[in-house]
Structure formats: structure tokens, C-alpha cells
Amino acid sequence: MDSNTEQKPPCVCRRVRSKGTPGVQYDAAVDWETGWTSTATFWCVATGESVGPDDDQVHPHVCGQARACFRAPTEELAGGARVLE
């Protein structure tokens, strides 16, 4: 039995990007914890807009596995780089 009760944050779609969030690069995928910053703007690389392919808002807290357009995060490459879509 696992005694660790700490839950991991849900996965965020790899297409979500942010500008203005401290610690997030312009072209980097966004983590779930990013959403707390009130001044951040988010967009989807599939649409280039603040709405995703399903015409719903783009935000780390709503771009999860329940959405039809969700794409799972990719493995990090050597040097910490990520595959961008």
C-alpha cells in the first residue's frame, strides 16, 4: 500500500502556451500550476488563439484530458528541450 497521499496535478495539453508568466518560456509547454498568475495570457498552438480547436477557452486548468482536442505531454528530449507541435 502506498502511504503517499499527495496527488499530482492533472496533465495539461501540450499545445498550451503562455506569455507573461514568470518562469515560462515563450515557446515552452505550460504546466497546470502556471494558471495562478492573473496577468498571464494563454493560447493554443493548434489555433494560435485564446480558444482551442473545440472553441473553448485555453487555460492550464481547463485544457485537460476531458477535451476532445487534448494532446498528452511529450517526453523531454536531451537538454530539457520539448517537442513542439
Side-chain angles (χ1 to χ4, degrees):
M1 183 173 180
D2 188 7
S3 62
N4 185 1
T5 59
E6 185 177 326
Q7 293 182 357
K8 292 182 179 180
C11 288
V12 175
C13 180
R14 69 176 180 232
R15 295 174 167 175
V16 178
R17 299 293 186 273
S18 175
K19 186 173 183 182
T21 306
V24 177
Q25 296 177 359
Y26 185 80
D27 61 349
V30 175
D31 294 323
W32 193 85
E33 293 91 349
T34 304
W36 69 268
T37 307
S38 63
T39 58
T41 57
F42 299 95
W43 71 91
C44 176
V45 297
T47 62
E49 301 288 336
S50 61
V51 295
D54 61 355
D55 292 327
D56 204 355
Q57 174 188 11
V58 175
H59 190 278
H61 293 175
V62 297
C63 291
Q65 295 175 340
R67 290 180 67 167
C69 54
F70 176 80
R71 298 295 182 267
T74 58
E75 296 293 325
E76 288 193 7
L77 303 174
R82 293 184 182 194
V83 175
L84 300 179
E85 190 170 324

